[in-house]
Amino acid sequence: MKKSTLAILSLLTASAVLSACGSNNNNNASSSAPASPSASASASASASGGEANADLSGKILVLTHRTDYISDGTFDKYVAKFKEKYPKAEVEFEGLTNYATDINTRLTTGEAGDVNMIPSALAASEYPKYYEPLPDSMFENVYFADFDAYEGKRYGITSGVNTQGIVYNKKAFEKAGITATPKTLDELYADAQKLKDAGIIPLYMNFGAQWPMGSWGENSYTTVAGDAKWTDSLISTDTPFTVDGPWGQMIQIARKFVENKWVESDLSTNNWEMSKGEVASGKAAMYFLGNWVIPQVIGAGAASEDIGFFPFPYDNSGKYNAPLGGDYFVGVSKDSKNKELATAWVNFFVKESGYDTDSGFMPVDKTKEPQVPQLAEFNAANPTYIEGVAVDPRYNEIAKKAEIALGTGSVDQDLIVAKDLKKAFDDMNAKWAKARKDLGY
């Protein structure tokens, strides 16, 4: 799931969570409408969990970014469970190592399989060209039901739900004499120094990997603002980026961590894979990332009971906002020759397979409790969730015109090491203002 975070980290996500792994927020989210006539009654029954069409047969191909789940047999486990409901069905997987790029090519060549993860940069108006509408029955009590909607039809359903906070090694905290997780920003700073004094890297920032840096900027500013639609408000101003605004607030925290050497010493190298082992072993104490990284740290050697998760204390109020966003959205290919079986697989995959728990996600179904124990600790802190909404597409249009590479982490890198933070924001504002004028906004 390493790079799937790019979808949550992309500013194309509404709350921009998270990274990490993928919603399509250049969508024009719309209200639901009756399922497309091509979504048959039997497919609808399958999607709602019924057994009306247990005789579904044939073979479908699923394209995925989770190459690790292909190689380690996790997907095989899901298929075995699926075949208990649909004994005559066959499901095959093809992993794309550079999914975000390769899936766009596969869509245009008509080789996108029967089911795939919808690319985050695909315009909502393109959904009908490449995807089959999904039945309304699939979206009862589901998070982000209208994210991948266009003209009243829904084309994708999220594969998991993420929040973002501090993932930490409890043994590292104990070694540093930290007996409770920090509730305020000052306490976080104090604990970071204790960890450094104990010879532990306080927080592995993964500066050199670049994409994780979105946690300090685009993935967090709606959370700090306490307004899921805060991003849209920037469209109407020539000076959206300020030191004292939500983005500036987070960047200043990151700058303090770097200045005090509370992060890895090598900021230039991409040490993402190595960093998981560092956090797992307790050589490093914290990540500021989404819950999706928890099973990866455990997979790198940590005992589950030694890994915790708490909301990021971005001020001294003792109260928290936390983002809530969707991971990659799953859709049925327009070119599928077995849309009923593909639709049944999508519903099973996101709701029944166990993929959400295996990947460290919250369930797609709002009525279900998370099975990842670290999420119970996180929720015990009583965060106020800022649930992601679709972003006005003009925001990304202005950013692209201004050549401000939002969603990549590169802008956050530049701001964190800028000699003069105000000047850096002023320079961005000048580009933004010109782009707004050029586009007539």
Side-chain angles (χ1 to χ4, degrees), residues 48-131:
S48 61
E51 298 295 338
N53 204 13
D55 287 336
L56 281 177
S57 62
K59 181 184 295 185
I60 57 171
L61 175 65
V62 178
L63 302 189
T64 177
H65 60 297
R66 293 306 301 263
T67 56
D68 54 336
Y69 278 8
I70 293 177
S71 60
D72 69 10
T74 298
F75 280 145
D76 292 337
K77 178 182 69 175
Y78 301 159
V79 172
K81 189 175 179 181
F82 184 67
K83 285 175 70 67
E84 292 176 6
K85 297 185 69 172
Y86 305 102
K88 300 177 182 179
E90 299 293 334
V91 183
E92 293 185 351
F93 300 89
E94 181 181 350
L96 305 181
T97 55
N98 190 9
Y99 190 90
T101 300
D102 293 347
I103 187 59
N104 291 307
T105 301
R106 298 291 288 267
L107 285 174
T108 56
T109 59
E111 299 174 301
D114 298 277
V115 173
N116 60 65
M117 302 297 193
I118 299 175
S120 60
L122 187 68
S125 59
E126 295 284 280
Y127 294 159
K129 182 177 180 181
Y130 297 115
Y131 292 96

Side-chain angles (χ1 to χ4, degrees), residues 72 91 98 119 125 157 229 323 339 341 345 356 371 381 411 421:
D72 69 10
V91 183
N98 190 9
S125 59
I157 184 169
K229 298 292 288 183
K339 294 184 176 69
L341 182 59
W345 168 260
D356 52 358
Q371 298 302 304
V411 177
L421 183 57

Side-chain angles (χ1 to χ4, degrees), residues 154-344:
R154 295 167 173 139
Y155 293 87
I157 184 169
T158 187
S159 57
V161 180
N162 284 309
T163 187
Q164 182 174 268
I166 297 290
V167 176
Y168 72 104
N169 187 304
K170 296 179 181 180
K171 288 189 175 298
F173 271 38
E174 291 173 5
K175 182 179 177 181
I178 300 170
T179 58
T181 56
K183 304 297 188 294
T184 67
L185 181 57
D186 286 345
E187 289 177 0
L188 179 65
Y189 289 156
D191 288 346
Q193 187 59 49
K194 289 178 183 178
L195 289 160
K196 180 182 177 183
D197 292 344
I200 299 167
I201 298 170
L203 184 142
Y204 215 109
M205 184 175 272
N206 272 300
F207 190 98
Q210 189 178 92
W211 58 265
M213 302 309 296
S215 297
W216 302 96
E218 303 96 308
N219 295 354
S220 296
Y221 48 47
T222 56
T223 303
V224 176
D227 179 7
K229 298 292 288 183
W230 183 81
T231 300
D232 286 356
S233 71
L234 307 184
I235 296 169
S236 59
T237 176
D238 282 341
T239 56
F241 312 118
T242 61
V243 173
D244 59 354
W247 196 352
Q249 184 176 339
M250 289 301 300
I251 290 295
Q252 289 182 82
I253 297 172
R255 286 167 69 91
K256 189 173 181 69
F257 266 80
V258 171
E259 290 164 2
N260 285 280
K261 302 186 186 304
W262 293 335
V263 299
E264 66 271 18
S265 58
D266 180 8
L267 295 183
S268 62
T269 305
N270 183 349
N271 289 324
W272 166 245
E273 291 297 337
M274 185 188 76
S275 75
K276 288 185 282 189
E278 299 282 270
V279 175
S281 67
K283 291 181 180 179
M286 297 183 284
Y287 271 144
F288 177 32
L289 290 171
N291 42 278
W292 53 265
V293 81
I294 293 169
Q296 296 195 34
V297 173
I298 294 170
S304 178
E305 60 268 22
D306 291 337
I307 301 301
F309 190 38
F310 62 88
F312 188 89
Y314 48 81
D315 60 25
N316 288 318
S317 68
K319 299 178 180 180
Y320 318 100
N321 291 333
L324 201 64
D327 205 78
Y328 262 122
F329 283 64
V330 192
V332 172
S333 174
K334 192 78 172 178
D335 296 326
S336 173
K337 299 297 189 292
N338 199 337
K339 294 184 176 69
E340 288 187 35
L341 182 59
T343 300

